[in-house]
Amino acid sequence: MTKPFYITTAISYPNGRPHIGHAYEAIATDAIARFQRQMGRDVRFQTGTDEHGLKMAQTARERGVAPNELAEEMSSYFKDMNDRLHISYDRFIRTTEPDHHHSSQAIWQAMEASGDLYLDRYEGWYSVRDEAYYDEKELVVADSGERLSPQGTEVEWTVEESWFFRLSRYQEPLLRHYHDNPGFIRPEARRNEVMRFVEGGLSDLSVSRTSFDWGVKVPGSDNHVMYVWVDALTNYITGVGYPDRDSEAYRRFWPADVHVIGKDIIRFHAVYWPAFLMSAGLELPRQVFGHGFVLHRGEKMSKSLGNVIDPLDLVRAFGVDQLRYFLLREVTFGHDGSYSAEAIVNRVNADLANSFGNLAQRTLSFIAKNCGGELPLGGKGDPADEALLATIRATVAEVCRLWEDLALSQGIEAWLRAVFACNQYIDLAAPWTLRKTDLERMTAVLATLVQAIRDLAILIRPVIPGAADALLDQMGVPGEGRDMAALGDAEAYAHLAGSGFKLELPKPIFPRLDMPADA
């Protein structure tokens, strides 16, 4: 039986439409999920929307609609974004779904049974924007004298009856877990940030609200709804069947292999979530990875600056796979990155149109025009042929190692170096000259190139799935021959070449991009 792999994004808060940060997280997580599938793993990939909480209730009130109507509308925008970005999720979960309410109430009761919940009165600072509580010591004072959260959002003094979670009880267990599992929080900067926070002492956490009713009801306290983060974080186990811990999905996929999240919500996932799970007697996820922000021309996106862009506008301007490639190539996973129309056009044209696309186009069109479309096989070999195929094999090993470690951009850079090696090989071998002087040598060169292009297309599929599959379709590579196990399989190529398949004149996979007129 194949080894399971469970990966999740954070579920998006849909009080506004999706922005490029949502798209980046979905694309990066999808690339990891697709890579693991190609490695032969049994992958479960979950994303979705977090639809409860005060912000949603306030936004619905401002728009004059019921919260459930707002949730239905806004969640659909996020699902549509995922679908149009070719995100290969297995479940798009919504926290308004009945099985999630059941799951959230079950983990609440498990924490209550552990003696970790008690009723008291909350007085303190709360950020509606962050849906987060802050101690006085965490606040910053603006030039105006206004208190702000560490993220610079407004806070308000809140007083209400609340259930509390004994977070203070889990300071030492959390620190011990971080010490014993150094890869639990990544990258290292996020781990250090969380360690410092927990070492500074943990206060018990308010985990219910009575000032609004849009949320999961607290069992036995119907005038309370759960703090939105208790509800939201529980989605990860709802998706594998909790509270039925004997279900096939739960036994196979929990604990999750990695939660991919934005760095701004690392505390919720690396402090609160493991503490809740410890209290409920459940296993902790193996890893929490906090990626960076995607900036626009080096600036954080802001409605006041007018630089918040719908990711689907970028898809319409540049293409799905072009946007996927740019974000994964340009943004080092775990760090902040920046984008602009110029940067996308320049990167896509240089790497995909001029390098990989041109390599495939000139090789395949040469075969279609000069070899009757028959895939070349045999011919007069040369040490340069084996040297190129050895480079491809080494690249496959390097890319797989890097992507296994979530070094996405570094893996793409390694792939691109192999593309450059292929272009150097074809320029030196010059099959267009060999056509006139040495047909046997031309055959060997073309056979080498077709095998290399096939392997490079399979290798980059997690990043640009639509374009890679379109190229492999043109090359006649069957669907079952597109996983990592097929890489370097000379017998599969020989079988295809001997099957009677003929290349037609290929269509360019990556036409050059022009700058949009309104960029």
Side-chain angles (χ1 to χ4, degrees):
M1 183 177 288
T2 58
K3 189 177 179 183
F5 184 86
Y6 182 29
I7 187 169
T8 68
T9 67
I11 51 175
S12 301
Y13 202 75
N15 66 319
R17 291 200 179 211
H19 56 65
I20 192 66
H22 297 116
Y24 173 65
E25 181 169 304
I27 289 168
T29 309
D30 180 66
I32 298 165
R34 287 177 180 273
F35 165 68
Q36 291 292 347
R37 287 193 195 100
Q38 284 190 215
M39 291 294 287
R41 303 282 292 273
D42 180 12
V43 172
R44 186 174 184 86
F45 171 20
Q46 181 163 298
T47 188
T49 44
D50 169 18
E51 300 170 22
H52 294 131
L54 183 55
K55 273 191 297 189
M56 286 292 285
Q58 289 180 342
T59 303
R61 186 166 58 248
E62 290 165 4
R63 292 180 50 173
V65 299
N68 64 311
E69 293 177 32
L70 177 68
E72 187 75 29
E73 175 195 346
M74 300 306 290
S75 180
S76 70
Y77 297 134
F78 284 82
K79 188 172 187 300
D80 181 57
M81 179 199 75
N82 277 272
D83 292 341
R84 292 173 68 179
L85 291 173
H86 300 168
I87 307 303
S88 60
Y89 57 83
D90 295 289
R91 178 172 179 181
F92 186 95
I93 192 169
R94 298 181 57 195
T95 56
T96 48
E97 292 168 338
D99 68 333
H100 180 68
H101 280 243
H102 179 53
S103 176
S104 299
Q105 290 175 332
I107 196 172
W108 180 282
Q109 290 168 327
M111 294 189 295
E112 187 176 33
S114 294
D116 285 332
L117 297 175
Y118 63 92
L119 194 62
D120 205 338
R121 180 181 177 85
Y122 178 76
E123 294 188 26
W125 297 103
Y126 187 75
S127 167
V128 177
R129 174 79 178 272
D130 300 343
E131 294 281 12
Y133 301 96
Y134 293 105
D135 288 336
E136 183 81 32
K137 64 184 180 182
E138 296 180 82
L139 302 182
V140 295
V141 180
D143 293 340
S144 63
E146 182 185 18
R147 289 181 172 85
L148 300 174
S149 78
Q151 280 72 44
T153 58
E154 293 181 4
V155 294
E156 58 187 38
W157 186 257
T158 302
V159 179
E160 63 183 307
E161 181 183 74
S162 177
W163 284 92
F164 282 78
F165 175 74
R166 297 186 194 277
L167 186 61
S168 56
R169 178 182 286 181
Y170 290 92
Q171 179 177 353
E172 289 307 317
L174 285 169
L175 290 172
R176 191 159 51 247
H177 185 76
Y178 303 153
H179 178 269
D180 294 344
N181 300 273
F184 176 66
I185 305 169
R186 291 185 61 202
E188 188 69 18
R190 303 286 89 77
R191 182 174 186 271
N192 293 338
E193 173 190 332
V194 170
M195 292 276 286
R196 285 194 301 270
F197 175 74
V198 177
E199 287 167 352
L202 297 176
S203 302
D204 288 352
L205 180 67
S206 172
V207 289
S208 75
R209 304 296 302 271
T210 57
S211 55
F212 62 94
D213 62 1
W214 178 241
V216 178
K217 299 290 186 186
V218 170
S221 296
D222 283 350
N223 61 324
H224 288 252
V225 293
M226 292 181 194
Y227 173 43
V228 66
W229 277 103
V230 176
D231 159 15
L233 292 162
T234 303
N235 93 87
Y236 302 127
I237 51 177
T238 301
V240 291
Y242 185 81
D244 184 1
R245 296 167 66 180
D246 291 325
S247 70
E248 182 180 351
Y250 189 91
R251 286 187 289 107
R252 182 150 181 75
F253 291 105
W254 192 258
D257 289 270
V258 59
H259 294 322
V260 176
I261 62 163
K263 66 179 182 180
D264 54 331
I265 55 173
I266 193 73
R267 179 190 306 182
F268 304 101
H269 285 79
V271 181
Y272 301 166
W273 180 226
F276 295 160
L277 292 169
M278 288 177 180
S279 175
L282 304 175
E283 288 184 86
L284 275 56
R286 295 187 175 95
Q287 187 175 111
V288 175
F289 193 102
H291 64 76
F293 295 141
V294 179
L295 310 175
H296 183 248
R297 299 183 186 276
E299 292 183 320
K300 196 169 180 180
M301 288 173 292
S302 165
K303 289 181 181 178
S304 62
L305 292 174
N307 63 356
V308 178
I309 296 176
D310 185 335
L312 296 184
D313 287 342
L314 296 175
V315 168
R316 284 185 280 271
F318 305 113
V320 174
D321 283 318
Q322 288 85 345
L323 179 62
R324 287 175 63 108
Y325 181 87
F326 172 83
L327 290 173
L328 297 179
R329 168 75 169 88
E330 200 74 11
V331 181
T332 301
F333 199 46
H335 298 264
D336 292 349
S338 187
Y339 79 98
S340 67
E342 297 95 328
I344 295 172
V345 168
N346 291 337
R347 174 60 67 192
V348 168
N349 283 345
D351 293 5
L352 296 183
N354 295 350
S355 296
F356 186 52
N358 185 48
L359 169 70
Q361 185 67 18
R362 59 178 173 163
T363 302
L364 302 185
S365 59
F366 185 91
I367 295 170
K369 292 175 181 177
N370 297 286
C371 305
E374 294 183 5
L375 292 177
L377 190 64
K380 185 169 67 179
D382 184 274
D385 307 342
E386 177 52 33
L388 181 65
L389 295 179
T391 295
I392 300 297
R393 289 194 295 272
T395 298
V396 168
E398 183 181 7
V399 171
C400 290
R401 176 183 59 79
L402 288 166
W403 283 352
E404 197 71 63
D405 194 42
L406 307 186
L408 303 181
S409 61
Q410 295 91 329
I412 296 172
E413 289 169 10
W415 171 84
L416 192 61
R417 288 193 294 273
V419 172
F420 293 157
C422 289
N423 276 308
Q424 185 178 36
Y425 171 88
I426 192 174
D427 288 342
L428 291 172
W432 46 88
T433 301
L434 293 172
R435 176 175 171 268
K436 302 172 184 176
T437 61
D438 193 340
L439 289 177
E440 283 293 300
R441 179 69 195 124
M442 180 195 79
T443 298
V445 167
L446 293 174
T448 301
L449 283 166
V450 174
Q451 291 178 73
I453 292 167
R454 177 201 64 178
D455 284 3
L456 289 171
I458 292 171
L459 188 57
I460 202 65
R461 280 183 77 221
V463 177
I464 48 172
D469 278 339
L471 176 56
L472 291 166
D473 286 345
Q474 292 189 48
M475 298 176 71
V477 178
E480 65 273 13
R482 300 183 184 185
D483 58 16
M484 298 304 183
L487 295 172
D489 187 347
E491 289 186 10
Y493 175 72
H495 177 76
L496 179 62
S499 69
F501 171 80
K502 288 192 176 184
L503 281 169
E504 296 182 2
L505 196 64
K507 298 176 182 177
I509 301 297
F510 296 108
R512 284 182 57 81
L513 296 179
D514 294 319
M515 278 294 297
D518 57 350

